[in-house]
Amino acid sequence: MSTPDPVSSTDQTDGSVIGQPEHPQGETADELRRRGLRSGRLVVLIFLALLGAGVPLLALSPTLNPADLLLGRYRYQDAPELLGMTQPKAIQALVREGLSSSSAFAFSANTPRGEITAQDPPPGEPVRRGGKVKLTVSRGQEDFVVPELVGSTRASVEKLFDNTGVKVEVVEFPSENDVAGEVIRQDPLPGNVLRTGNTLSLVVSMGAERRDVPEVRRLPSDGAAFILGNAGFIVEKVTKERDPFLPKGAVLRTKPAAGQNLNKGTKVELVVSDGPPQAKVPGLVGTQETQAIESLESVGIIAATTTELVNPRDPNNGKVLSQVPDAGTMLDPGDVVELTVARGGAPG
């Protein structure tokens, strides 16, 4: 059995040739080719139009990066490096970049006079195309005539030289005669010239040196005064006070008290024992000798007796006839009262 030829076979229904592609609306192959050529030319024309419009825009971007166009970066450029240039050269460099400038002047310790010491925006930072860069031009080092500073406060001197570029070095030193924080020496002296970067040296008072009051309790007053003097204190006053425990002349305390931190040269008062409290001598005339002695000993006073002979039948026999000192006298413990006692002798 033979296979039918697909090219030569015909459809018996509509008479079309089997195997030939059907064309819409009955177009022939030539007509389709012509229509395809027209569409291709239109696409090329549209592409060329877009390309013609995009090239000038891309030219605005130094990197030819479409992202620069989308983000607006084409409107900016990097600020050039101008630091260290003279002012005229810096301005020329900006003009070449299509930028303008404004200038301010300031003293500088490190940049020579006339050179750029600062710029805004800094090198490499974005600046709008055709925009302005602010220049700071060095005026060189500033000269300062040193005034008289002794007697001024440290704070006022530091404020005076603030933002001048002059370094202020301070050494603090104790001084009994100067207020704390006050300048007592300066270098250089008044009338000398300082420049930016130079150093002004000050010696500032710390006030009087501070010391702790030493402990001198129980010491003899002379020894206590010596120790206080060596510690930098002045014993201005010695006050006596009765004390039942410490002997006469021993230090009871100091005013201000021991351990307090005070300025060197502070005056200190010594409170010294004047011995135990005094006792009042009782009236002993007419009392029996033994009773008189006991009364004196009870207050710490010593009795010393002398005898005066009387008739054994004398009613004063064995009694105190007189006393020295008199009744009511104030005596220290250990002091002596002399008693004259009557004693009976041979009958007369």
Side-chain angles (χ1 to χ4, degrees):
M1 181 179 295
S2 62
T3 303
D5 186 351
V7 176
S8 60
S9 299
T10 59
D11 189 332
Q12 295 178 356
T13 304
D14 56 9
S16 61
V17 179
I18 298 175
Q20 291 288 339
E22 295 185 4
H23 304 299
Q25 300 177 356
E27 289 181 326
T28 65
D30 290 338
E31 290 173 338
L32 286 174
R33 281 194 297 272
R34 285 193 295 272
R35 187 157 65 87
L37 288 174
R38 286 196 300 272
S39 298
R41 291 191 193 100
L42 180 60
V43 171
V44 171
L45 289 174
I46 293 173
F47 174 76
L48 291 175
L50 292 174
L51 182 62
V55 167
L57 291 175
L58 287 173
L60 295 176
S61 172
T63 62
L64 298 180
N65 186 346
D68 289 342
L69 296 175
L70 295 175
L71 299 176
R73 288 197 293 260
Y74 67 90
R75 294 193 297 268
Y76 293 88
Q77 65 186 86
D78 291 343
E81 172 69 67
L82 304 171
L83 300 178
M85 290 185 180
T86 62
Q87 184 185 13
K89 288 185 177 180
I91 293 174
Q92 291 173 5
L94 290 172
V95 170
R96 286 194 298 269
E97 296 287 337
L99 299 169
S100 61
S101 65
S102 63
S103 298
F105 298 84
F107 291 104
S108 172
N110 304 314
T111 305
R113 181 182 179 89
E115 292 187 2
I116 305 303
T117 187
Q119 67 178 81
D120 182 25
E125 293 296 315
V127 58
R128 184 177 288 274
R129 291 183 179 278
K132 180 183 291 185
V133 176
K134 297 179 181 179
L135 304 176
T136 301
V137 184
S138 171
R139 297 177 64 180
Q141 295 185 346
E142 185 175 7
D143 291 342
F144 302 94
V145 178
V146 180
E148 175 64 68
L149 301 174
V150 173
S152 303
T153 63
R154 172 181 177 174
S156 65
V157 174
E158 289 177 338
K159 183 177 181 180
L160 178 65
F161 286 91
D162 192 23
N163 297 323
T164 63
V166 173
K167 300 175 184 177
V168 179
E169 291 185 350
V170 176
V171 175
E172 294 185 319
F173 193 80
S175 175
E176 298 177 13
N177 302 318
D178 300 290
V179 178
E182 190 174 276
V183 177
I184 55 179
R185 282 196 293 276
Q186 69 179 82
D187 182 29
L189 296 174
N192 285 280
V193 174
L194 286 175
R195 288 186 171 182
T196 302
N198 291 159
T199 299
L200 171 67
S201 298
L202 302 176
V203 178
V204 175
S205 170
M206 295 172 60
E209 185 178 355
R210 299 185 71 83
R211 301 283 183 86
D212 289 341
V213 178
E215 178 61 80
V216 293
R217 188 171 181 271
R218 297 178 179 273
L219 296 179
S221 58
D222 291 345
F226 178 79
I227 292 173
L228 288 167
N230 275 351
F233 298 101
I234 300 171
V235 178
E236 180 187 36
K237 184 179 180 182
V238 177
T239 303
K240 294 182 178 181
E241 187 176 291
R242 293 287 173 175
D243 185 85
F245 305 107
L246 293 182
K248 190 172 185 176
V251 175
L252 298 174
R253 60 186 177 277
T254 57
K255 295 180 181 180
Q260 289 195 34
N261 188 258
L262 304 173
N263 290 340
K264 184 180 177 182
T266 298
K267 295 177 180 179
V268 176
E269 177 183 350
L270 280 179
V271 180
V272 177
S273 172
D274 200 23
Q278 288 185 314
K280 183 184 290 187
V281 176
L284 302 172
V285 174
T287 61
Q288 292 293 325
E289 178 183 7
T290 55
Q291 182 182 353
I293 293 173
E294 289 175 358
S295 296
L296 292 173
E297 289 179 347
S298 67
V299 293
I301 298 175
I302 299 172
T305 61
T306 59
T307 300
E308 182 176 319
L309 294 177
V310 295
N311 190 300
R313 292 190 293 271
D314 190 315
N316 290 321
N317 185 18
K319 295 181 180 180
V320 176
L321 298 176
S322 64
Q323 66 181 72
V324 178
D326 295 333
T329 303
M330 301 299 294
L331 295 180
D332 292 332
D335 285 350
V336 176
V337 172
E338 296 179 0
L339 301 176
T340 301
V341 180
R343 294 190 186 281

